[in-house]
Amino acid sequence: MDLVWPATAWALWAAALAVAVVVAGRERPAASPTPAGEPAPRAVGELLRGMRAQEVFHATLSELAERGPARIEGDRLALAPFAGEEALPAYQRWALERVRARLAGLDLADEAESPLVALMPDGADLEGEFAPLVRRRAIELGLARRRWPSLLVPVGLAVALAAPWYVTVAEAGVSWLGGIATMVSFVAGGSLLLGGRGFLLTARGREVAAGPAPQREWIFTGSGWQGAGIEPAGYAPGGPRRHEVAGHVVKRWYDTERETRYLALHDGRSERAKAFAVDHGTYKDVLPGDCVRLLVRREGDVVRVLTHERHW
């Protein structure tokens, strides 16, 4: 079995991939770069930190409240008259339109207050329509870039895989080598096609993603908690090392001094909610309004989430 031609074909394809990566890796000027030292928009920052689309949408509502089209008090939002809607970024206009549509669906006027969780779009809409607009804004600000300048590049590389695959299979036939060539072609080609043009952070974007998230309040009062207060779970001497707690998440926050993430849980009966320390993964997955059952240590930190329900 002569492997010269298969090896040559794979080497040529790998060289083409390397050239494409090097050429595409060159920094391209941003449409409207963020000036040095100026903070990135909250929603864009949350996206770069890898937060959920719901978190990014809530950050967008906070931006709208700061700019004037919306007003947020506690966990309720109302729209306000605003004349400069055309000047808003596309992702903010999308959020504003969806809020109006939700209010209309609830038979409420724009000025009427509504719980934030009732205004949250479906997850599929957030991922399919809203998140791409935020990514586009990140690219415009120079915080991210496309891996490939055109979709033709990954498509062309995927199609070009047919050449080394065919040469290998024609030479090796039905053998372990032909099987490996088929598997590599399938995985590499699928990754190129599914990845599209890609989305990569620039150096400035990585700085934003690594930095602390700005303080932003997101609370939930649907469980009966009226924001009366939050107390630490505290240490329970003599109690079991681990125990379960359940309730609604009514607030989340990040303590910059302690560099610790917390969520507040309300059992639906007490006047005050209890705060528990959580890891980054739990902080990302659990949002205010979610009903959870947690396994916690007696020191007050969460071991893991046992059940997690979201009804909005």
Side-chain angles (χ1 to χ4, degrees):
M1 181 171 57
D2 188 1
L3 299 180
V4 174
W5 286 112
T8 302
W10 283 108
L12 289 174
W13 185 86
L17 176 63
V19 170
V21 170
V22 170
V23 173
R26 296 172 181 171
E27 293 285 343
R28 293 177 286 275
S32 52
T34 303
E38 182 175 323
R42 289 182 177 181
V44 174
E46 296 290 21
L47 178 80
L48 299 183
R49 295 183 189 95
M51 302 304 289
R52 302 291 183 191
Q54 291 88 347
E55 185 86 31
V56 179
F57 184 82
H58 185 270
T60 303
L61 297 183
S62 298
E63 293 176 3
L64 292 174
E66 291 178 353
R67 299 193 65 165
R71 184 182 71 257
I72 296 178
E73 294 182 5
D75 67 340
R76 306 184 75 82
L77 178 143
L79 297 182
F82 184 70
E85 187 171 334
E86 296 78 10
L88 296 175
Y91 73 93
Q92 290 184 356
R93 293 199 304 271
W94 188 94
L96 199 55
E97 291 169 0
R98 284 308 175 99
V99 168
R100 286 201 185 101
R102 287 275 177 163
L103 288 173
L106 296 171
D107 293 328
L108 296 174
D110 288 354
E111 295 77 13
E113 292 186 349
S114 174
L116 285 169
V117 294
L119 302 175
M120 190 70 65
D122 296 334
D125 291 340
L126 289 173
E127 294 289 351
E129 300 179 22
F130 173 68
L133 295 177
V134 184
R135 283 194 286 269
R136 188 173 74 186
R137 184 58 177 166
I139 293 172
E140 292 172 351
L141 295 174
L143 302 174
R145 65 176 179 85
R146 294 295 185 186
R147 178 185 292 275
W148 309 114
S150 169
L151 191 59
L152 293 176
V153 177
V155 172
L157 288 170
V159 172
L161 275 169
W165 171 81
Y166 176 78
V167 173
T168 304
V169 172
E171 186 67 35
V174 181
S175 64
W176 63 270
L177 186 59
I180 291 176
T182 301
M183 181 181 65
V184 170
S185 300
F186 179 79
V187 173
S191 299
L192 286 167
L193 294 176
L194 292 176
R197 293 183 62 192
F199 181 79
L200 300 175
L201 304 189
T202 61
R204 171 70 178 132
R206 289 190 291 272
E207 291 178 6
V208 172
Q215 294 297 320
R216 174 171 49 86
E217 185 176 77
W218 185 359
I219 66 174
F220 174 75
T221 60
S223 67
W225 181 71
Q226 298 301 321
I230 298 173
E231 59 186 15
Y235 179 75
R241 293 181 60 249
R242 296 181 178 184
H243 63 282
E244 296 181 11
V245 295
H248 282 88
V249 178
V250 295
K251 188 176 181 179
R252 292 182 322 160
W253 70 97
Y254 177 71
D255 189 324
T256 54
E257 293 184 0
R258 299 183 179 181
E259 297 184 348
T260 304
R261 295 170 176 82
Y262 294 94
L263 61 81
L265 204 65
H266 186 246
D267 58 11
R269 302 181 303 274
S270 306
E271 181 179 355
R272 302 171 70 86
K274 290 187 178 295
F276 299 91
V278 297
D279 59 25
H280 180 63
T282 302
Y283 186 84
K284 283 178 56 177
D285 291 338
V286 178
L287 300 175
D290 292 354
C291 185
V292 297
R293 184 163 59 91
L294 308 173
L295 180 65
V296 301
R297 296 187 179 92
R298 59 186 174 189
E299 291 82 7
D301 54 320
V302 174
V303 178
R304 64 176 178 271
V305 179
L306 300 176
T307 61
H308 180 195
E309 298 178 5
R310 182 169 296 159
H311 301 290
W312 49 272

